[in-house]
Amino acid sequence: MQGISRAVRSCQEILKAAILQHAQGREIAGIEKIVSSLKWVTSPPAQQKGLENVTVADVLMTKDEQTGPWLWCHTNDIVIDAVKNMAKNNVGSLVVLKPGEQQYIAGIITERDYLRKIIAQERSPNHTRVGEIMTNENKLITVTSDTNILQAMQLMTENQIRHVPVIDGKIVGMISIKDVVRAVVEQQSGELKQLNEYIKGKYY
């Protein structure tokens, strides 16, 4: 997790270095190379509006996902079914709901819970309920859709977690540390692109 914060700071240092290179009369090819190196991001980029203005809602929009049964399970579900649900939908966690139609949140189950409490303890996922291994609600870390992306990153880093449910009265989605880092890098890449265009004279 500490490496994530260092990566963000590294992006900021790249911007500073690019400006210094231009000020010293060096070639702009180096800046183009830096921008090109950040093109590993393949999802549709969030609107370029500065990290201080990017929210969790913006990240959810780029994920283009709808809430639904694939995002949660229930405390009385069998662990193996929850794990199959995660594998089928390529997600690393599920929000755990209490039985009933009200969809009250009971906690969260993650890949880490499965590894530590099932595999490491040699328990059977076919005979264990989700409620027995989940992270309980009183330890659950959540964000809202209007949470700033940097605040979300800090929250996840400080608590050493990789998945955070997005709750606006009810569950509206799930974000991972990968989603957060991608959003940060996309914004930094956009700033580099604008700097490059400015140097080339596309701005007056």
Side-chain angles (χ1 to χ4, degrees):
M1 289 290 184
Q2 294 177 350
I4 296 167
S5 297
R6 288 196 297 268
V8 175
R9 288 196 297 269
S10 177
C11 287
Q12 295 170 339
E13 291 302 320
I14 287 172
L15 281 171
K16 293 179 182 178
I19 294 172
L20 287 174
Q21 285 183 7
H22 176 61
Q24 295 169 0
R26 298 182 182 178
E27 296 294 332
I28 63 173
I31 299 175
E32 293 175 332
K33 183 177 181 181
I34 292 170
V35 174
S36 177
S37 69
L38 293 176
K39 291 183 178 178
W40 58 270
V41 180
T42 57
S43 63
Q47 181 181 358
Q48 302 299 327
K49 54 185 180 180
L51 286 172
E52 69 279 3
N53 297 314
V54 178
T55 65
V56 168
D58 296 316
V59 175
L60 290 177
M61 289 177 62
T62 64
K63 289 166 67 75
D64 193 28
E65 296 173 348
Q66 300 294 324
T67 58
W70 64 270
L71 195 58
W72 59 71
C73 61
H74 294 85
T75 54
N76 55 357
D77 288 345
I78 301 298
V79 170
I80 190 64
D81 292 334
V83 173
K84 287 180 178 179
N85 190 11
M86 284 191 276
K88 177 182 178 181
N89 294 288
N90 193 31
V91 294
S93 64
L94 296 173
V95 172
V96 182
L97 303 178
K98 298 176 181 178
E101 299 181 358
Q102 300 300 318
Q103 293 190 341
Y104 291 125
I105 297 177
I108 189 172
I109 181 173
T110 68
E111 298 165 329
R112 184 181 297 178
D113 291 322
Y114 180 71
L115 290 173
R116 290 182 175 180
K117 302 172 185 178
I118 296 294
I119 301 300
Q121 297 180 20
E122 298 183 351
R123 298 169 66 178
S124 171
N126 296 301
H127 300 93
T128 305
R129 302 287 179 179
V130 169
E132 298 177 48
I133 71 166
M134 70 179 185
T135 298
N136 291 321
E137 180 185 8
N138 58 355
K139 296 181 180 179
L140 182 62
I141 305 296
T142 66
V143 296
T144 62
S145 60
D146 61 356
T147 299
N148 177 266
I149 196 65
L150 293 179
Q151 293 176 335
M153 172 179 279
Q154 182 178 2
L155 189 66
M156 298 172 82
T157 302
E158 290 179 349
N159 290 278
Q160 298 184 348
I161 54 178
R162 295 181 296 166
H163 306 89
V164 175
V166 184
I167 309 294
D168 290 339
K170 62 179 181 179
I171 181 169
V172 297
M174 179 89 70
I175 62 170
S176 68
I177 193 65
K178 180 180 179 182
D179 298 326
V180 172
V181 171
R182 179 185 291 119
V184 170
V185 173
E186 284 175 347
Q187 288 296 319
Q188 296 287 1
S189 179
E191 291 177 15
L192 281 171
K193 182 179 179 181
Q194 290 176 357
L195 174 63
N196 190 29
E197 291 176 347
Y198 174 79
I199 293 172
K200 284 183 175 181
K202 292 185 178 181
Y203 289 97
Y204 292 96

